[in-house]
Amino acid sequence: VTEIFDATWLDLREPFDHRARSVQLADALVARLPARPKLLDLGAGSGSLFRFLAPRIGRAQVWTLLDADPAMIDAAFDRIAGWAEFNDWPVTTPGRAMLLHTPGGAWRIEAVIADLAAVSTLPVAKHDAVVNTALCDLVSRAWIETLVPRLKAPFYAALMVDGRASWAPPHPLDRAVAAAFKRDQGRNKGFGPALGPKAPAVMIEAFKAAGWQVATAASDWRIGPADTEMLQAVIDGDAMAATIAEERSTDRFLDWRDDRRHQASRGKLRLTLGHRDLLALPR
Ligand SMILES: C[S@@+](CC[C@H](N)C(=O)[O-])C[C@H]1O[C@@H](n2cnc3c(N)ncnc32)[C@H](O)[C@@H]1O
């Protein structure tokens, strides 16, 4: 099963992702990087993690954005150029790369179109860090266990779902929706059975078994009553996934969706959605 990821959805979630990621873990990664570090971003999408981490690194750096979807890579270059313009950083495009000329040095961005499922072909050994965001709950245990022995440099995985969802006010069908949603999260997303909310625990286990030092931190989305568009997107996404996982309960899930949409449109709903970030360092 191939999932289609939509750049519009990634745009909508980007500010929530930026506020959610653990600054402490990100800075611990940055502290381990050499001068002019080379980073490989797995499933880079439209470049959200680059826009979060590059300013924290600050100095000259080289990024390889890897994604299977050429349209995503186009979106990434578009978004990065717009972001550079907003910040008054000149942009040049030597060959197929993009260079942002920032006061702290040149930030070089390259792209690779590749299937992450083919672990043995990933260029992980050429980089000073292998990073990703909103990816590791899509992969399988077998995928991570195949990847870990190939890694030599720090591995940073931001925003893995951990299964917590706290709606205010509560709704009698929240638990039924959450249970069905959780089943959908385990569906194969192209890597074998997806880890879904088991991702943080399985990743910790895989790195510890290989003797790596592992740290994690909460990175929950905090979606407030004024964030109507984001609430609507999460409500619709949850209801749709629950329906796919459990077709017999479709009517109940649609009732839940309609009640939640109504509350969101009146500014009467908030949601805290649980995520974890992970930083694994080789000893
Ligand atoms: C949930 S999105 C996250 C994107 C980006 N990291 C972000 O947070 O905005 C997952 C990304 O992984 C990419 N992806 C999914 N399966 C893939 C595969 N088998 N090989 C390469 N990329 C894949 C998708 O195209 C998408 O861009």
Side-chain angles (χ1 to χ4, degrees), residues 5 10 43-45 48 67-69 72 114-117 133-135 138 191:
F5 295 95
L10 299 184
S48 169
D67 207 284
D69 182 353
M72 275 295 179
D115 183 0
L116 281 171
T133 185
L135 179 83
L138 305 178
F191 303 90

Side-chain angles (χ1 to χ4, degrees), residues 37-53:
K38 296 192 188 69
L39 297 99
L40 175 65
D41 185 355
L42 305 179
S46 56
S48 169
L49 188 57
F50 168 75
R51 288 183 290 278
F52 175 76
L53 273 183

Side-chain angles (χ1 to χ4, degrees), residues 6-19:
D6 174 352
T8 315
W9 162 239
L10 299 184
D11 289 343
L12 179 59
R13 62 177 288 175
E14 181 162 341
F16 295 89
D17 287 349
H18 276 31
R19 283 195 291 273

